[in-house]
Amino acid sequence: GNSVTQMEGPVTLSEEAFLTINCTYTATGYPSLFWYVQYPGEGLQLLLKATKADDKGSNKGFEATYRKETTSFHLEKGSVQVSDSAVYFCALSPSSGSARQLTFGSGTQLTVLP
Amino acid sequence: GAGVSQSPSNKVTEKGKDVELRCDPISGHTALYWYRQSLGQGLEFLIYFQGNSAPDKSGLPSDRFSAERTGGSVSTLTIQRTQQEDSAVYLCASSLNPAEKTQYFGPGTRLLVL
């Protein structure tokens, strides 16, 4: 079956530090890949996505590149801010089958200190 | 435009009681999903609706859980004879159609079973 393995947290960084959150997946074919973010007390928000190999998703300074050869979709940001403190979820949607439910990683808690 | 809405935002109930959770998807979205977010299990898929087709119930954890979607829009998730392990945040998401992989999430209903 499909699965997503995400870097264990929590991650604590100082403001302006570089961020990487690792994500690898197992799926047949070419799934679509997503990063969702959950700010404290809020629901899941789509951060970025990529639907085919070598695509780069980007939003709010965050980037992730769909690497088919390494089955990875690592999230990066060059300079984090305190407002980036949240839980980040990597997810995939399968390329085949009638349903498109998301399979999520376990989430990574990020805390950015001023 | 309006996003996915869910009600109630919080629900406290006693073990053994039935609860109903409501989801209003984004207008025009034909695909609707329910997920559960709990500490021990992360984010789990529960059920999927697409138009007037029979729902995919493969993620429902027991026969105490059921859901319906009326008129292809509003959905209700019902949990009968609630147990303490049902305590979780129940998230609803919708997408334009199954081919559109991006799902948009509501704020969730936080359920606490005493």
Side-chain angles (χ1 to χ4, degrees):
Chain A
N2 300 327
S3 67
V4 175
T5 301
Q6 200 175 324
M7 175 176 165
E8 292 284 331
V11 174
T12 302
L13 296 173
S14 297
E15 206 164 24
E16 298 183 3
F18 183 84
L19 169 71
T20 299
I21 301 177
N22 289 337
C23 171
T24 57
Y25 68 89
T26 301
T28 55
Y30 290 83
S32 294
L33 302 174
F34 303 84
W35 278 99
Y36 281 85
V37 58
Q38 188 172 36
Y39 297 103
E42 298 184 15
L44 286 169
Q45 299 177 22
L46 177 67
L47 181 59
L48 53 83
K49 67 178 182 181
T51 57
K52 59 183 187 294
D54 300 325
D55 268 3
K56 177 185 283 188
S58 61
N59 186 26
K60 300 181 181 179
F62 290 89
E63 293 183 340
T65 301
Y66 187 161
R67 301 288 189 199
K68 180 67 174 173
E69 64 275 15
T70 54
T71 62
S72 65
F73 193 55
H74 304 322
L75 182 68
E76 296 182 336
K77 186 175 186 182
S79 177
V80 294
Q81 305 301 310
V82 172
S83 57
D84 294 327
S85 298
V87 182
Y88 292 81
F89 293 91
C90 185
L92 72 80
S93 177
S95 58
S96 61
S98 59
R100 293 289 187 267
Q101 64 262 32
L102 294 168
T103 298
F104 287 91
S106 55
T108 301
Q109 170 79 56
L110 170 67
T111 301
V112 180
L113 302 175
Chain B
V4 177
S5 61
Q6 293 185 246
S7 60
S9 53
N10 291 280
K11 176 73 175 178
V12 181
T13 190
E14 294 179 348
K15 178 181 170 181
K17 296 285 179 68
D18 298 352
V19 296
E20 283 190 355
L21 313 179
R22 177 188 169 106
C23 171
D24 283 88
I26 294 172
S27 178
H29 280 197
T30 64
L32 186 148
Y33 303 80
W34 284 96
Y35 295 86
R36 178 169 70 174
Q37 185 176 23
S38 55
L39 278 177
Q41 302 298 323
L43 276 153
E44 306 170 276
F45 163 74
L46 297 177
I47 188 169
Y48 159 70
F49 295 89
Q50 167 51 35
N52 295 319
S53 302
D56 176 352
K57 304 179 183 180
S58 60
L60 294 179
S62 78
D63 58 8
R64 295 185 296 104
F65 288 72
S66 63
E68 63 178 20
R69 189 178 184 191
T70 54
S73 180
V74 171
S75 177
T76 302
L77 177 69
T78 301
I79 308 173
Q80 295 178 309
R81 306 181 302 283
T82 53
Q83 304 294 311
Q84 288 181 332
E85 61 263 29
D86 299 334
S87 297
V89 177
Y90 289 82
L91 295 168
C92 178
S94 70
S95 65
L96 187 60
N97 53 58
E100 171 51 54
K101 307 295 181 68
T102 303
Q103 295 179 23
Y104 298 90
F105 283 80
T109 294
R110 186 174 300 275
L111 174 66
L112 178 60
V113 182
L114 301 177

